[in-house]
């Protein structure tokens, strides 16, 4: 069960619904697909077995198999008899650069004009591929935070899951709801100097759909943000999912940047 618990939170493991219009196998497919497209499950990462999926989500082996078969038919995973399936997907596309100063200013503005509620925060061992990206060893725990962001009218528009290393103090639910996380990181000796982002699209899992007032399987805009400190260390890995009708992502590039 370790592989399964590395990938999903307890709330996600309990999120499959038998009383909705979407079959269980397709809900499972959506959850795994989101993890793959967002980069949480990187290329060649091992996947849970059908037996582990069946036990963890309390579904039948046939349901688990149908969900995995869908991923394989999409070319997202490789199925191997007698061995764990693994991720085959690798993101493609251009990655334009944007000034960090302007990005941080926009994030600060969003923080001031919206509210965030922490759903879960704990210190835990990250999934193997997240640990590899963060550069942590096998025994180093990091802060795992799940939260939802609301606009000024209290309407939810974003679901966040983050993994943050090197934090010794000040990383509490109350602080995260009231302050920018980058300020807390700086107070712990990690001033963010470089950010990389990857935009993509995915289907909303039952849990995310419920929190963002969508239907399971509806499209969501996904963003994976990697934040590096002045020493080049990856400090924070953030996976965002946005309600497509309530959030828009705009980039302003100069002519020189566009033509470069």
């Amino acid at each position: 069960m370790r592989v399964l618990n590395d990938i999903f939170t307890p709330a996600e493991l309990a999120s499959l619904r038998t009383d909705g219009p979407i079959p269980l196998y397709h809900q499972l497919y959506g959850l795994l697909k989101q993890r793959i497209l967002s980069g949480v499950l990187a290329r060649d990462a091992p996947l849970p077995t059908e037996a582990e999926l069946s036990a963890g989500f309390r579904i039948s082996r046939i349901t688990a198999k149908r969900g995995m078969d869908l991923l394989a038919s999409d070319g997202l995973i490789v199925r191997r008899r007698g061995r764990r399936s693994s991720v085959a997907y690798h993101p493609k596309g251009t990655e334009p650069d944007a000034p960090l100063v302007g990005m941080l200013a926009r994030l600060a503005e969003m923080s001031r004009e919206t509210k965030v509620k922490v759903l879960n925060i704990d210190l835990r061992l990250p999934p193997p591929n997240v640990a590899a990206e963060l550069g942590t060893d096998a025994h180093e725990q990091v802060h795992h935070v799940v939260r939802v962001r609301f606009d000024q009218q209290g309407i939810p528009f974003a679901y966040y899951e983050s993994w943050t290393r090197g934090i010794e103090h000040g990383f509490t639910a109350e602080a995260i709801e009231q302050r920018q996380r980058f300020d807390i990181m700086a107070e712990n000796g990690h001033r963010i100097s470089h950010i990389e982002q990857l935009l993509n699209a995915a289907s909303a899992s039952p849990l995310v759909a419920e929190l963002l007032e969508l239907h399971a399987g509806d499209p969501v805009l996904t963003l994976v943000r990697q934040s590096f400190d002045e020493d080049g260390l990856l400090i924070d890995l953030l996976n965002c999912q946005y309600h497509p009708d309530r959030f828009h992502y705009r980039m302003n590039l100069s002519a020189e940047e566009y033509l470069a």
Side-chain angles (χ1 to χ4, degrees), residues 30 33-35 37-38 200-205 217-222 241:
K33 181 178 179 180
Q34 188 279 327
R35 283 293 193 258
L37 296 182
S38 68
N200 215 319
S203 300
S205 68
D218 281 354
V220 289
L221 174 67
T222 68
Q241 297 184 60

Side-chain angles (χ1 to χ4, degrees), residues 217-229:
D218 281 354
V220 289
L221 174 67
T222 68
L223 185 150
V224 179
R225 178 181 297 143
Q226 297 175 315
S227 301
F228 300 82
D229 69 7

Side-chain angles (χ1 to χ4, degrees), residues 12-50:
E12 287 170 326
L13 290 174
S15 68
L16 301 191
R17 301 284 188 266
T18 59
D19 55 355
I22 300 179
L24 285 174
Y25 75 89
H26 210 281
Q27 295 179 47
L28 175 66
Y29 158 79
L31 276 172
L32 285 164
K33 181 178 179 180
Q34 188 279 327
R35 283 293 193 258
I36 293 170
L37 296 182
S38 68
V40 171
L41 285 171
R43 186 180 181 92
D44 297 327
L47 293 165
T49 64
E50 291 172 8

Side-chain angles (χ1 to χ4, degrees), residues 46-259:
L47 293 165
T49 64
E50 291 172 8
E52 289 170 339
L53 290 170
S54 175
F57 284 99
R58 297 183 180 180
I59 56 178
S60 69
R61 286 283 295 270
I62 294 176
T63 297
K65 180 180 185 302
R66 291 188 69 183
M68 295 290 278
D69 286 344
L70 268 183
L71 292 170
S73 67
D74 284 350
L76 295 175
I77 69 171
V78 175
R79 304 274 263 157
R80 298 183 178 92
R81 184 180 298 276
R83 296 173 56 190
R84 285 188 182 273
S85 301
S86 62
V87 176
Y89 173 77
H90 182 70
K92 299 181 177 66
T94 58
E95 301 179 359
D97 293 328
L100 178 61
V101 174
M103 181 186 298
L104 293 181
R106 288 192 293 273
L107 291 176
E109 181 179 1
M110 178 187 292
S111 179
R112 289 192 300 270
E113 295 182 352
T114 61
K115 296 181 180 180
V116 70
K117 179 176 177 57
V118 173
L119 304 181
N120 181 73
I121 181 170
D122 57 21
L123 197 62
R124 63 164 69 179
L125 293 174
N129 66 294
V130 174
E133 288 198 59
L134 291 172
T136 57
D137 59 37
H139 306 290
E140 183 177 346
Q141 294 184 321
V142 301
H143 281 86
H144 175 244
V145 183
V146 177
R147 52 205 169 103
V148 174
R149 188 169 289 280
F150 302 82
D151 66 14
Q152 293 177 324
Q153 287 72 47
I155 298 174
F157 69 90
Y159 174 90
Y160 300 146
E161 182 180 19
S162 60
W163 304 86
T164 311
R165 65 175 302 188
I167 303 296
E168 297 181 358
H169 59 84
F171 219 64
T172 65
E174 182 180 11
I176 292 171
E177 289 178 351
Q178 296 178 356
R179 308 178 58 200
Q180 281 199 72
R181 294 185 314 124
F182 287 158
D183 291 338
I184 303 175
M185 294 176 203
E187 292 168 359
N188 282 266
H190 303 293
R191 187 172 298 279
I192 300 304
S193 64
H194 174 62
I195 291 177
E196 295 181 2
Q197 297 190 140
L198 176 66
L199 288 169
N200 215 319
S203 300
S205 68
L207 175 63
V208 172
E210 181 178 348
L211 292 169
L212 297 187
E213 299 177 351
L214 292 164
H215 296 291
D218 281 354
V220 289
L221 174 67
T222 68
L223 185 150
V224 179
R225 178 181 297 143
Q226 297 175 315
S227 301
F228 300 82
D229 69 7
E230 294 173 323
D231 295 323
L233 293 176
L234 177 59
I235 300 302
D236 184 76
L237 181 62
L238 175 66
N239 179 17
C240 314
Q241 297 184 60
Y242 295 103
H243 191 300
D245 295 330
R246 299 174 180 173
F247 178 85
H248 303 280
Y249 190 87
R250 176 180 295 172
M251 291 183 64
N252 293 315
L253 300 176
S254 68
E256 290 79 6
E257 291 168 327
Y258 179 76
L259 295 173

